[in-house]
Amino acid sequence: MKKNFFTLLLLVFVSVILLSCNSKNNKTNQSSGVTSGSDSSGTSSEMNGLPVLSFEEDFHDFGKLYSGELVTYAFKFKNTGNSVLLISNVGTSCGCTVTAFPKQPIKPGEESTIDVKFDTTGKHGRQSKSITVFANTQPPTSTLRIEAFLVEPEGI
């Protein structure tokens, strides 16, 4: 059973990487005040005593960049729930994107950031990358996105 689970998990992970790494998807989700941890029925995680991961933004567009640049962005968030927030992992859709996230518990009302570094080396055209945050929220994942349009540096 464990072997099947890990095989399925590996298959999903590889699929996400293959589908996302060279994505030329132009869809954007530019919203602010994005919250993970509430449902549409009116019953929220706050009422259930769960932590709530509330991002100021869940999307960042770097705009036009030269291929080869290394850029960073900090996604700011706050625990707007009623219990301690624990971020267990942050995954990315491509090896060109790395993250740093708080390993310590985030108390209710506290703020922090998830820092994202995007290495544009070898990339061209519209690039869209996703960052998945795994936490003790309901639902247990939140998705962040970055996007850029990459061009070759002049004189090359």
Side-chain angles (χ1 to χ4, degrees), residues 9-23 91-94 130 132:
L9 186 62
L10 180 62
L11 180 62
V12 170
F13 181 71
V14 170
S15 298
V16 168
I17 288 174
L18 291 175
L19 294 173
S20 299
C21 203
N22 288 318
S23 173
T92 61
S93 62
C94 182
S130 62
T132 304

Side-chain angles (χ1 to χ4, degrees), residues 90-112:
V90 177
T92 61
S93 62
C94 182
C96 60
T97 309
V98 295
T99 61
F101 62 95
K103 311 292 190 283
Q104 74 280 4
I106 309 294
K107 295 178 183 172
E110 287 186 342
E111 298 178 352
S112 191

Side-chain angles (χ1 to χ4, degrees), residues 76-126:
K76 297 177 185 175
F77 69 88
K78 183 176 185 176
N79 178 2
T80 58
N82 295 320
S83 62
V84 174
L85 172 68
L86 301 170
I87 298 176
S88 59
N89 195 19
V90 177
T92 61
S93 62
C94 182
C96 60
T97 309
V98 295
T99 61
F101 62 95
K103 311 292 190 283
Q104 74 280 4
I106 309 294
K107 295 178 183 172
E110 287 186 342
E111 298 178 352
S112 191
T113 62
I114 294 177
D115 301 317
V116 177
K117 291 183 184 178
F118 175 42
D119 184 355
T120 65
T121 302
K123 305 286 185 206
H124 308 285
R126 174 79 42 208

